[in-house]
C-alpha cells in the first residue's frame, strides 16, 4: 500500500512517515502494550491531498501576510486555510486505499477514533499536546474520509501555527499523518504521567481518571479523580475523588453524547486497575527510555493504551544519578549568573578543574569520572550530598549558598530538614587533615593580604601575569589536535588549580572576612547594614568596573570628534561592526574600540563557557552599549558617579567608626571597624580578579581550538570552526582515527540538543536525584498586585521605566531605565552604567551583578521570583535597594 500502514508495521523511527503519535503507537505495540488495532494514513497521503488541490501557494500567501503574535490574525488565517482544505477533494486512489484499510479492520462497520499525528509532535522536547484535532466514535467509511480531511486541516489551527512560530519550527517542514484506531470500550479513561509533573519526582506515577471517554478530561471539561502511586513499592499514595460531573460516551450510530451526573463519591478506576495501569506506564517509560504522558481507557475488564508521548515539562536528570541513594544538586549557573547551557568543551574545562582540585585534597579521580559537577540539561550542577553528611559541611553550605542566592539558601534549608539528609557523623580526622593541608595556603594568603594589602595585590597580579605568559608559551608550542587536547587536560599547564589558593584568598581577604565581620558587628547600629553596603561603593582595583569605565572612555573618545559621534549615532550596529572588522570605521572610533578590545576582548556573555563567542570575535553588544553611552549626559558621567560613590564610601566609613565609638567598648570597636573598613576598600575590588584571570586563560584555549577548527574546515572534516566546541577533549585525541564515527552527524546532534536547551524557560535552583526540582523560593507574603519582593543588595531608591532583557546581545538600554533580567555575569555590567536600577531573578549579596551595582551606587534587588514574567517592558516602577521592594 502506498498511503497507509498498519500500526503493527510502525516503529519509533517512523516519525517523518507516521508523525509522533503514529510512531509512538507502533513502539508501544512492539513493547507489548495493549494498543487498540488500527492503521495510519501516512504523511504521503497529506502531501498528495495538498498537491492534488494546489494548496501550497495558498498556504504560503496566507502565512506570509499573518502576524505570528496576533491571535485574531492567526485565527483568521486558520479559518481561511481550513476552508481551502474543506473544499478540497481526496484523490481517488488515496480515498480507495483508506476505505480498504478501514474494511480490513472489520468486515462490519466499525467505530474508530481518528487522531491527527504531526511530524512536529510528541517529540522529546516539544509535545504539541492538543494542537491538532481528534474525532471519536467515527462510524462508516465516508464519515471517516471527512474526519481525515478535518484532521489534515487541523495542522493549521491558530494555536498550532503560533506554537510552531514560537518554537522556531518552519511551517513548510511540518506534515501530518492520521491514526485510525478501533474505539476501545471505555467505562473510565484518562491520562497517566510516569513522573510527577508538578514536583518532577520520577518515583511517582500520577493518574487522572474520569468516567466514559477521556475527551472530557483532556479538553478540561471535567474535574477528574486524582491518584498517586509509588512505583517502587507499588503502593497507592493518595486518592482524591473529583466531581466527574460531565460524561462523554459514544452513540451506537456514531458520534458522541454528553451527559451530566453526580459521580463525586464514585471512584472511576478500582484500586487493582490503578496499580495495573501504573505498571503499564512503567513498561512504556522503559520502552521509550524516559518519562511518559499516556492516555488510556478501561472497559470490559481490559486496559488499553491509546497514545503516549514524552513528558517535556520535566527537567532532565544527570545520566549518572539514581533515586537511591538520594543526592542533592545545586545549580552552578545561579552561582555564576549564567543560566544558559554549556557546550561539551565548556563542560570539559570544569570537569578537568574538579579533577585537578580533587588532587589538592588527596582525591585521585580521572577526568570524566568525577561526581562533584554533573551535567543536567547541558547545564552544570554541583553535587553537595557529601557536605550534608556532617554538621561542618551543612553550616558551610548554608552560609555560602545564602550569600550567593538567598532563594537557593531557603530551598536548601527546607531540604536539609528532610530526615534522609540527617547528619551521619562528624568530620573524620583523616578528612580534617586533608582539609587543613589543602586550605593552609589559602589561610596564609588571606592573612598576608589583610596584613599587607598593597603587597598582596601586587603579588596577586604578578602571579596571574606570570602564569598567563607561561600558558601562552605552552600553547605556542602546540601543533596538532591531539597535542592540543592533551594540553587542555594537562594539570601543569591548566594552572587554575595551582592559582586557586591565591585567587580564593584575594576574595576572602576583601569581600569575605573583613566585610562579613564588619556586617555582623554593625548589625545593631542605626543604619549599620546600609552603611556597610555603602562602604563598597566605588571600590578601586576591580577589573570589571575598570572594564566598564574603559568602555566609557571609548565612548568619550568617539564623542570628542563630532563627525565620528554623528556617524556612530546614525549607522546601524551591524554596519558599524562590519566596518570595524574591515578597519574602515572613522579613525578615532576604530582606535578607541581597538584599544578596549586589546585588553578586554576575551570577555563576553556566558564567558565561563569555553564554547561561547567573545567580544573580539563579535563586538555587537559593545557597539549597542556605546550607542547608549553616547546618550548619557556628561554631567551624569559614570566616572563622576564612581568618584561620587567613593566619596559616599568614605563618609560611610566615618559614620560607622563614629557609631562604634559611641557604643559600649567604643574605642576598641572603632579601631577594629577602621581596620576592617580600610581592608574592604583596599581588597574588596579583587572580588572580580579570579573570574577575569580564568577568562583570560579560557581565551587562550578558545583561540587555539578555533585555529584547529579552521584547519579542519579547510580539510572538509568540519562545517564550521566552532563545531570543535561540540566535541569533548577525549574525542579530539582520536578525531582522525580509522574507526572514527560520523563526526559531523554527532556535532549536528549536539548542536540540536544545545539549541533545544537554549529555549528552556526555567532552570531549577536545586534538584534531587529522584527528579524533584525546586525553581523558586515561595513568593513573599508581602507581595501583592503592585509589589514584588527580593533581597536588597545595593541601597538607594530609584523610579524608572522597566526594560526586560534576556540577552544583552540586541539590548540597547536607554539612560535611567530599570534593567530587569534573569541573571548577569560580568559581560552584562556595561549596561549598568546606563541603568537607573537593577532587578534580577537570581543572585545574592556576593554575586557579580550585586557587587558591581553597589560599586556604581545603582539600587538593586535580586532573587525576585519570576521577575521577568511579572514585570513588563514599559512599566514604571520604584526600586528600593535597601528594603528589597519593587513597587509598580
Amino acid at each position: 500500500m502506498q498511503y497507509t500502514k498498519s500500526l503493527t508495521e510502525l516503529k519509533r523511527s517512523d516519525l517523518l512517515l507516521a508523525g509522533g503519535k503514529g510512531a509512538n503507537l507502533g513502539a508501544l505495540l512492539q513493547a507489548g502494550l495493549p494498543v487498540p488495532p488500527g492503521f495510519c494514513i501516512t504523511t504521503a497521503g497529506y502531501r498528495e491531498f495538498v498537491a492534488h488541490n494546489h494548496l501550497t501557494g495558498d498556504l504560503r500567501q496566507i502565512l506570509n501576510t499573518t502576524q505570528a503574535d496576533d491571535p485574531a490574525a492567526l485565527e483568521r488565517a486558520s479559518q481561511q486555510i481550513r476552508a481551502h482544505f474543506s473544499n478540497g477533494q481526496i484523490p481517488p486512489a488515496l480515498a480507495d486505499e483508506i476505505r480498504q484499510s478501514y474494511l480490513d479492520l472489520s468486515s462490519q462497520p466499525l467505530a474508530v477514533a481518528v487522531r491527527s499525528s504531526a511530524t512536529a509532535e510528541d517529540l522529546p522536547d516539544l509535545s504539541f499536546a492538543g494542537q491538532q484535532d481528534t474525532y471519536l466514535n467515527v462510524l462508516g467509511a465516508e464519515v471517516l474520509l471527512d474526519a481525515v480531511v478535518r484532521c489534515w486541516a487541523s495542522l493549521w489551527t491558530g494555536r498550532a501555527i503560533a506554537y510552531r512560530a514560537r518554537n522556531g519550527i518552519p511551517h513548510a517542514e511540518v506534515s501530518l499523518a492520521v491514526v485510525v484506531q478501533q474505539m476501545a470500550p471505555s467505562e473510565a479513561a484518562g491520562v497517566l504521567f510516569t513522573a510527577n509533573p508538578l514536583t518532577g519526582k520520577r518515583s511517582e506515577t500520577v493518574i487522572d481518571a474520569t468516567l466514559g471517554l477521556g475527551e472530557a478530561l483532556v479538553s478540561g471539561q471535567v474535574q477528574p479523580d486524582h491518584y498517586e502511586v509509588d512505583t517502587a513499592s507499588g503502593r497507592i499514595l493518595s486518592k482524591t475523588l473529583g466531581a466527574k460531573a460531565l460524561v462523554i460516551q459514544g452513540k451506537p450510530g456514531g458520534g458522541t453524547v454528553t451527559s451530566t451526573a453526580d459521580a463525586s463519591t464514585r471512584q472511576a478506576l478500582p484500586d487493582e486497575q490503578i496499580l495495573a495501569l501504573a505498571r503499564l506506564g512503567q513498561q512504556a517509560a522503559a520502552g521509550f527510555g524516559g518519562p511518559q504522558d499516556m492516555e488510556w481507557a478501561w472497559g470490559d475488564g481490559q486496559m488499553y493504551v491509546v497514545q503516549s508521548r514524552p513528558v517535556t515539562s520535566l527537567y532532565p536528570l544527570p545520566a549518572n544519578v539514581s533515586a537511591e541513594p538520594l543526592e542533592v544538586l545545586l545549580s552552578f549557573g545561579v552561582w555564576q549568573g549564567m543560566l544558559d547551557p554549556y557546550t561539551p568543551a565548556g563542560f570539559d574545562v570544569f570537569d578537568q578543574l574538579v579533577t585537578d582540585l580533587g588532587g589538592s585534597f588527596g582525591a585521585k579521580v580521572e577526568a570524566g569520572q568525577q561526581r562533584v559537577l554533573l551535567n543536567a540539561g547541558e547545564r552544570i550542577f554541583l553535587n553537595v550530598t557529601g557536605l550534608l553528611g556532617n554538621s561542618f559541611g551543612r553550616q558551610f553550605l548554608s552560609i555560602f549558598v545564602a550569600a550567593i542566592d538567598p532563594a537557593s539558601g531557603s530551598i536548601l534549608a527546607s531540604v536539609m530538614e528532610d530526615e534522609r539528609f540527617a547528619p551521619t557523623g562528624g568530620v573524620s580526622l583523616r578528612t580534617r587533615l586533608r582539609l587543613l593541608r589543602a586550605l593552609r595556603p589559602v589561610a596564609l594568603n588571606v592573612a598576608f593580604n589583610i596584613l599587607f594589602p598593597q603587597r598582596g595585590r601586587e603579588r596577586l597580579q604578578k602571579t596571574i601575569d606570570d602564569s598567563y605568559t607561561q600558558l601562552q608559551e605552552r600553547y605556542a608550542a602546540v601543533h596538532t589536535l591531539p597535542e592540543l587536547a592533551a594540553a587542555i587536560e594537562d594539570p601543569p599547564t591548566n594552572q587554575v588549580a595551582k592559582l586557586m589558593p591565591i585567587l580564593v584568598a584575594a576574595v576572602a581577604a576583601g569581600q569575605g572576612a573583613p566585610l562579613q565581620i564588619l556586617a555582623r558587628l554593625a548589625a545593631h547600629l542605626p543604619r549599620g547594614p546600609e552603611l556597610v553596603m555603602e562602604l563598597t561603593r566605588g571600590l578601586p582595583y576591580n577589573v570589571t568596573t575598570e572594564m566598564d569605565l574603559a568602555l566609557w572612555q571609548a565612548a568619550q573618545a568617539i564623542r570628542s570628534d563630532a563627525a565620528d559621534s554623528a556617524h556612530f549615532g546614525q549607522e546601524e550596529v551591524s554596519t558599524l561592526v562590519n566596518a570595524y572588522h574591515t578597519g574602515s570605521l572613522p579613525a578615532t572610533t576604530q582606535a578607541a574600540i581597538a584599544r578596549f578590545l586589546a585588553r578586554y576582548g576575551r570577555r563576553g556573555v556566558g564567558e565561563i563557557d569555553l564554547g561561547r563567542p567573545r567580544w573580539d570575535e563579535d563586538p555587537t553588544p559593545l557597539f549597542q552599549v556605546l550607542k547608549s553611552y553616547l546618550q548619557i549626559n556628561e554631567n551624569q558621567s559614570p566616572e563622576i558617579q564612581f568618584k561620587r560613590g567613593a566619596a559616599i564610601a568614605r563618609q560611610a566609613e566615618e559614620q560607622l567608626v563614629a557609631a562604634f565609638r559611641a557604643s559600649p567598648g567604643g574605642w576598641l570597636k572603632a579601631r577594629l571597624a577602621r581596620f576592617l573598613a580600610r581592608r574592604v576598600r583596599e581588597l574588596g575590588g579583587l572580588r572580580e580578579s579570579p573570574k577575569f584571570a580564568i577568562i583570560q586563560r579560557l581565551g587562550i584555549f578558545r583561540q587555539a581550538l578555533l585555529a584547529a577548527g579552521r584547519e579542519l574546515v579547510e580539510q572538509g572534516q568540519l562545517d564550521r570552526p566552532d563545531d570543535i566546541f561540540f566535541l569533548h577533549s577525549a574525542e579530539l585525541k582520536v578525531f582522525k582515527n580509522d574507526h572514527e564515527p560520523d563526526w559531523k552527524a554527532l556535532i549536528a546532534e549536539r548542536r540540536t540538543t544545545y539549541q533545544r536547551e537554549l529555549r528552556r524557560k526555567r532552570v531549577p535552583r536545586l534538584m534531587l536525584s529522584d527528579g524533584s526540582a525546586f525553581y523558586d523560593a515561595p513568593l513573599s507574603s508581602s507581595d501583592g498586585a503592585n509589589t514584588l519582593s527580593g533581597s536588597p543588595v545595593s541601597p538607594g531608591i530609584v523610579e524608572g521605566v522597566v526594560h526586560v532583557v534576556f540577552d544583552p546581545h540586541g539590548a540597547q538600554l536607554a539612560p535611567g531605565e530599570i534593567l530587569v533580567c534573569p541573571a548577569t555575569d560580568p559581560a552584562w555590567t556595561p549596561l549598568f552604567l546606563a541603568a537607573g536600577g537593577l532587578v534580577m531573578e537570581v543572585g545574592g549579596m556576593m554575586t557579580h551583578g550585586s557587587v558591581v551595582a553597589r560599586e556604581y551606587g545603582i539600587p538593586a534587588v535580586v532573587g525576585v521570583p519570576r521577575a521577568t514574567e511579572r514585570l513588563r517592558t514599559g512599566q514604571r516602577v520604584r526600586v528600593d535597594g535597601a528594603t528589597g521592594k519593587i513597587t509598580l
Side-chain angles (χ1 to χ4, degrees):
M1 287 188 176
Q2 185 177 1
Y3 300 112
T4 63
K5 281 189 174 292
S6 168
L7 294 182
T8 58
E9 298 179 82
L10 298 176
K11 52 189 180 298
R12 193 175 172 188
S13 58
D14 286 329
L15 174 68
L16 296 180
L17 181 73
K21 198 174 280 94
N24 287 353
L25 285 170
L28 288 169
L29 280 165
Q30 290 185 346
L33 276 88
V35 175
F39 64 94
C40 176
I41 305 161
T42 67
T43 52
Y46 170 84
R47 289 193 296 272
E48 179 65 17
F49 177 87
V50 169
H52 182 78
N53 292 283
H54 309 290
L55 297 179
T56 302
D58 295 326
L59 290 172
R60 187 183 300 114
Q61 182 178 358
I62 293 169
L63 293 171
N64 286 344
T65 56
T66 301
Q67 293 292 329
D69 57 354
D70 183 343
L74 286 171
E75 196 53 43
R76 286 194 299 272
S78 173
Q79 290 173 4
Q80 293 173 34
I81 292 172
R82 297 178 84 168
H84 282 294
F85 273 80
S86 225
N87 294 330
Q89 298 294 318
I90 301 179
L94 174 56
D96 288 344
E97 189 171 326
I98 295 171
R99 290 189 189 98
Q100 186 58 53
S101 295
Y102 176 63
L103 290 174
D104 289 345
L105 287 178
S106 173
S107 57
Q108 300 296 321
L110 182 71
V112 293
V114 185
R115 295 186 170 91
S116 305
S117 180
T119 53
E121 177 183 63
D122 296 350
L123 306 178
D125 57 324
L126 295 170
S127 75
F128 278 78
Q131 299 303 316
Q132 281 85 44
D133 291 347
T134 291
Y135 299 96
L136 301 177
N137 208 42
V138 173
L139 189 63
E142 300 312 308
V143 181
L144 168 61
L145 290 174
D146 178 65
V148 168
V149 173
R150 285 188 284 162
C151 279
W152 285 335
S154 73
L155 185 63
W156 304 101
T157 61
R159 60 184 182 272
I161 297 171
Y163 195 90
R164 289 194 293 270
R166 192 162 56 247
N167 289 286
I169 298 173
H171 298 300
E173 294 180 7
V174 179
S175 190
L176 191 102
V178 178
V179 171
V180 179
Q181 281 180 289
Q182 179 180 330
M183 283 292 294
S186 188
E187 298 172 35
V191 295
L192 169 148
F193 294 90
T194 62
N196 192 315
L198 293 181
T199 65
K201 190 176 289 187
R202 303 317 199 254
S203 58
E204 291 180 359
T205 292
V206 174
I207 299 168
D208 281 357
T210 192
L211 300 174
L213 298 171
E215 183 63 19
L217 190 155
V218 297
S219 60
Q221 300 178 62
V222 68
Q223 181 188 4
D225 288 355
H226 182 79
Y227 318 130
E228 294 186 4
V229 179
D230 181 274
T231 49
S233 64
R235 179 171 58 90
I236 297 174
L237 298 173
S238 66
K239 292 186 293 185
T240 304
L241 301 189
K244 303 181 292 295
L246 185 144
V247 180
I248 298 178
Q249 294 172 312
K251 294 191 296 185
T256 60
V257 61
T258 301
S259 59
T260 57
D262 181 9
S264 57
T265 59
R266 177 183 170 189
Q267 187 170 314
L269 199 60
D271 286 3
E272 181 182 350
Q273 296 305 320
I274 292 173
L275 295 176
L277 181 58
R279 289 192 292 272
L280 285 179
Q282 291 305 302
Q283 188 178 342
F288 282 104
Q292 292 294 295
D293 164 6
M294 209 167 77
E295 293 185 26
W296 56 270
W298 177 66
D300 295 342
Q302 173 69 43
M303 191 69 71
Y304 298 93
V305 177
V306 296
Q307 63 175 293
S308 187
R309 63 175 68 90
V311 184
T312 59
S313 60
L314 298 175
Y315 194 84
L317 280 169
N320 52 345
V321 301
S322 58
E324 295 295 337
L326 197 60
E327 297 180 274
V328 181
L329 314 175
L330 277 173
S331 169
F332 182 70
V334 169
W335 177 12
Q336 285 298 317
M338 207 284 278
L339 303 178
D340 289 346
Y342 284 73
T343 57
F347 183 83
D348 280 356
V349 169
F350 288 94
D351 180 49
Q352 186 65 50
L353 177 60
V354 169
T355 302
D356 297 344
L357 287 175
S360 304
F361 287 85
K364 295 182 179 179
V365 182
E366 294 294 324
Q369 297 178 0
Q370 58 83 21
R371 299 197 73 260
V372 176
L373 295 181
L374 302 178
N375 186 332
E378 308 307 307
R379 293 165 176 87
I380 297 175
F381 282 80
L382 181 65
N383 189 339
V384 298
T385 314
L387 289 173
L388 296 178
N390 59 79
S391 56
F392 173 78
R394 292 165 76 90
Q395 186 174 7
F396 167 79
L397 201 57
S398 297
I399 295 171
F400 175 78
V401 175
I404 295 299
D405 182 50
S408 296
S410 175
I411 294 168
L412 179 65
S414 66
V415 168
M416 285 168 59
E417 293 175 2
D418 190 319
E419 60 184 16
R420 292 173 294 180
F421 299 115
T424 55
V427 182
S428 68
L429 178 60
R430 184 180 179 184
T431 300
R432 288 174 187 267
L433 291 174
R434 280 183 175 178
L435 283 171
L436 285 172
R437 185 167 58 250
L439 296 178
R440 182 173 176 273
V442 176
L444 291 175
N445 285 325
V446 169
F448 181 88
N449 290 341
I450 289 176
L451 290 173
F452 311 106
Q454 182 177 344
R455 289 171 59 190
R457 286 197 315 274
E458 292 169 351
R459 186 182 65 163
L460 170 68
Q461 193 58 53
K462 185 177 187 305
T463 303
I464 289 174
D465 291 344
D466 289 348
S467 66
Y468 183 71
T469 301
Q470 292 168 13
L471 198 64
Q472 284 181 311
E473 292 170 354
R474 171 71 173 90
Y475 274 79
V478 171
H479 301 293
T480 68
L481 196 59
E483 287 177 355
L484 177 58
I488 292 173
E489 290 183 350
D490 186 14
T493 61
N494 196 330
Q495 296 183 332
V496 176
K498 286 186 172 183
L499 284 173
M500 201 56 70
I502 196 166
L503 294 178
V504 171
V507 178
Q511 296 274 352
L515 186 63
Q516 299 307 315
I517 294 170
L518 194 57
R520 294 199 176 200
L521 289 174
H524 68 284
L525 295 177
R527 292 188 65 236
E530 185 177 341
L531 289 172
V532 171
M533 280 200 284
E534 286 185 349
L535 193 64
T536 62
R537 293 184 62 171
L539 281 174
Y541 317 116
N542 183 322
V543 290
T544 300
T545 54
E546 288 171 356
M547 174 187 75
D548 296 342
L549 292 172
L551 189 60
W552 169 255
Q553 286 295 334
Q556 290 301 92
I558 297 169
R559 194 199 299 266
S560 68
D561 187 305
D564 279 34
S565 182
H567 178 267
F568 202 93
Q570 292 166 4
E571 291 291 343
E572 294 291 330
V573 167
S574 58
T575 303
L576 293 169
V577 170
N578 290 334
Y580 173 75
H581 283 309
T582 59
S584 57
L585 282 174
T588 302
T589 302
Q590 185 81 24
I593 295 172
R595 279 195 303 272
F596 177 84
L597 289 176
R599 170 67 173 156
Y600 300 106
R602 287 179 172 171
R603 307 218 77 162
V605 177
E607 61 190 8
I608 202 70
D609 175 12
L610 182 63
R612 294 288 287 266
R614 312 292 148 152
W615 285 338
D616 55 8
E617 300 166 44
D618 180 13
T620 299
L622 296 180
F623 281 70
Q624 290 159 337
V625 171
L626 285 168
K627 278 181 171 284
S628 295
Y629 285 4
L630 291 175
Q631 298 175 32
I632 297 176
N633 188 304
E634 289 192 57
N635 294 329
Q636 297 174 312
S637 155
E639 289 179 325
I640 294 174
Q641 300 281 18
F642 192 77
K643 290 177 182 177
R644 188 177 297 146
I648 291 172
R650 288 192 292 272
Q651 292 173 8
E653 178 183 336
E654 296 304 324
Q655 289 173 308
L656 274 172
V657 169
F660 276 119
R661 191 177 289 118
S663 65
W667 177 81
L668 182 60
K669 288 181 180 178
R671 286 182 65 88
L672 178 59
R674 179 81 71 186
F675 179 85
L676 293 172
R678 291 191 173 172
R679 266 54 189 175
V680 170
R681 298 295 302 169
E682 289 279 344
L683 301 168
L686 302 182
R687 161 68 176 81
E688 299 292 299
S689 293
K691 180 78 173 281
F692 187 58
I694 291 170
I695 296 308
Q696 283 183 309
R697 280 145 187 77
L698 290 184
I700 296 176
F701 299 163
R702 181 172 172 84
Q703 291 305 313
L705 282 167
L706 279 175
R710 284 190 285 270
E711 289 184 13
L712 292 172
V713 170
E714 291 173 3
Q715 297 166 13
Q717 298 193 61
L718 293 181
D719 293 326
R720 296 163 46 178
D722 64 347
D723 280 349
I724 201 165
F725 298 111
F726 288 86
L727 294 171
H728 291 288
S729 56
E731 293 167 335
L732 295 179
K733 291 180 179 179
V734 298
F735 189 82
K736 294 184 179 179
N737 271 9
D738 293 337
H739 304 291
E740 62 188 16
D742 185 341
W743 296 111
K744 287 186 177 182
L746 178 63
I747 289 166
E749 179 184 343
R750 288 177 178 169
R751 277 192 179 276
T752 299
T753 301
Y754 181 85
Q755 291 299 321
R756 181 186 74 214
E757 285 301 325
L758 273 177
R759 293 195 299 267
R760 189 178 293 278
K761 301 298 184 186
R762 303 183 71 206
V763 178
R765 282 176 156 90
L766 182 147
M767 285 198 304
L768 304 182
S769 60
D770 65 0
S772 299
F774 303 85
Y775 293 87
D776 294 309
L779 295 179
S780 170
S781 58
S782 63
D783 282 9
N786 296 316
T787 307
L788 287 71
S789 300
S791 299
V793 295
S794 182
I797 296 174
V798 64
E799 289 187 10
V801 174
V802 166
H803 191 147
V804 177
V805 178
F806 292 97
D807 183 349
H809 287 87
Q812 188 174 322
L813 216 62
E817 286 186 321
I818 308 299
L819 174 60
V820 178
C821 55
T824 63
D825 66 7
W828 283 72
T829 59
L831 292 175
F832 290 15
L833 293 183
L838 173 67
V839 176
M840 294 196 299
E841 292 183 335
V842 303
M845 188 67 71
M846 299 300 293
T847 45
H848 297 284
S850 304
V851 171
V852 177
R854 284 197 297 274
E855 293 192 23
Y856 290 159
I858 302 170
V861 180
V862 303
V864 182
R866 301 195 302 281
T868 57
E869 299 172 27
R870 298 162 70 195
L871 294 173
R872 298 188 304 278
T873 296
Q875 286 180 316
R876 188 168 184 84
V877 298
R878 179 187 299 113
V879 177
D880 189 332
T883 65
K885 296 293 182 187
I886 300 122
T887 307
L888 271 65

